[in-house]
Amino acid sequence: MNVLTRKELSIVSHVITRAQFEIQQQAGIDVVLVPRYSNKMLEDDLRQLFEAMCDCWNVQLSWVSDKSRANDRPVMRKLLWMAGKKRFPHVPYSLLANLTGATDHAGVIKGIRSGYDWLKVRDEKILKYYEPVKSYFSELEAEPA
C-alpha cells in the first residue's frame, strides 16, 4: 500500500518549508503551502484493504456496502472504517463513507467511535467479525511509531 513513510513525510515537509521561505523572500508574500496527496491512490489502497477484510468474512465489498442493515452489515462497515482510519489517518471520512455505500461522513465518525466502544466491552456481535480481521489492527499496532 502506498502509505508515505516518515522519511517521505519529512522530505515533503522540508521542501514545503523551503518553498514558503523562498516565496516570502522573493515576492514578499507570506503563504502557507499545504500538500495535497492524490485521493485516487489513497482510494485504491483503501479499497484493497477493504476487499482483503471482506475476503476474511467471505463476502464482497459491494455486499457490505449495500445500505441494508441485515446480516450484520453495519458491524462490518464499522470495522472497515476503523481499520481504514487506523491505516490511513488522514483519509477523509467522506472517502470511507463513499467506499462503503454510506452517504454521511458524520455516520462514519459515529460508527468508528461506537465500534471502539463495542470492542472495549468485548461485545459478542462485533467480536464475531473482529476476530477474522484482527490482524489488520494488530499489524498496525506492531509498527513502530
Side-chain angles (χ1 to χ4, degrees):
M1 294 194 184
N2 297 320
V3 178
L4 296 179
T5 65
R6 282 186 171 213
K7 183 177 181 180
E8 290 167 332
L9 289 172
S10 176
I11 291 168
V12 170
S13 177
H14 175 75
V15 169
I16 287 173
T17 300
R18 191 174 65 218
Q20 288 175 159
F21 177 77
E22 287 181 25
I23 291 169
Q24 199 285 324
Q25 292 296 304
Q26 293 179 24
I29 302 169
D30 288 327
V31 296
V32 176
L33 302 176
V34 180
R36 180 172 177 159
Y37 302 100
S38 168
N39 269 358
K40 180 61 180 149
M41 199 165 61
L42 178 61
E43 182 177 343
D44 291 344
D45 290 344
L46 197 55
R47 183 180 305 279
Q48 287 177 8
L49 171 66
F50 286 1
E51 288 174 348
M53 290 175 69
C54 287
D55 285 347
C56 295
W57 299 318
N58 295 314
V59 298
Q60 297 292 316
L61 179 58
S62 58
W63 183 85
V64 174
S65 299
D66 185 292
K67 294 192 186 310
S68 171
R69 298 187 58 79
N71 304 99
D72 295 330
R73 285 179 175 104
V75 174
M76 293 180 211
R77 284 191 288 267
K78 286 176 196 216
L79 288 166
L80 292 175
W81 298 334
M82 292 161 62
K85 196 64 173 168
K86 191 161 197 163
R87 176 149 310 177
F88 306 103
H90 300 294
V91 66
Y93 290 103
S94 59
L95 183 54
L96 292 170
N98 291 342
L99 284 175
T100 55
T103 55
D104 182 11
H105 76 279
V108 173
I109 295 168
K110 185 177 172 186
I112 290 172
R113 285 186 188 142
S114 71
Y116 280 114
D117 289 345
W118 284 17
L119 281 179
K120 281 181 196 166
V121 298
R122 312 287 298 161
D123 185 277
E124 185 178 309
K125 193 172 194 174
I126 201 167
L127 289 176
K128 174 182 174 182
Y129 296 99
Y130 175 73
E131 287 299 321
V133 298
K134 68 182 176 184
S135 64
Y136 291 98
F137 291 85
S138 61
E139 71 185 39
L140 295 171
E141 292 164 3
E143 290 178 0

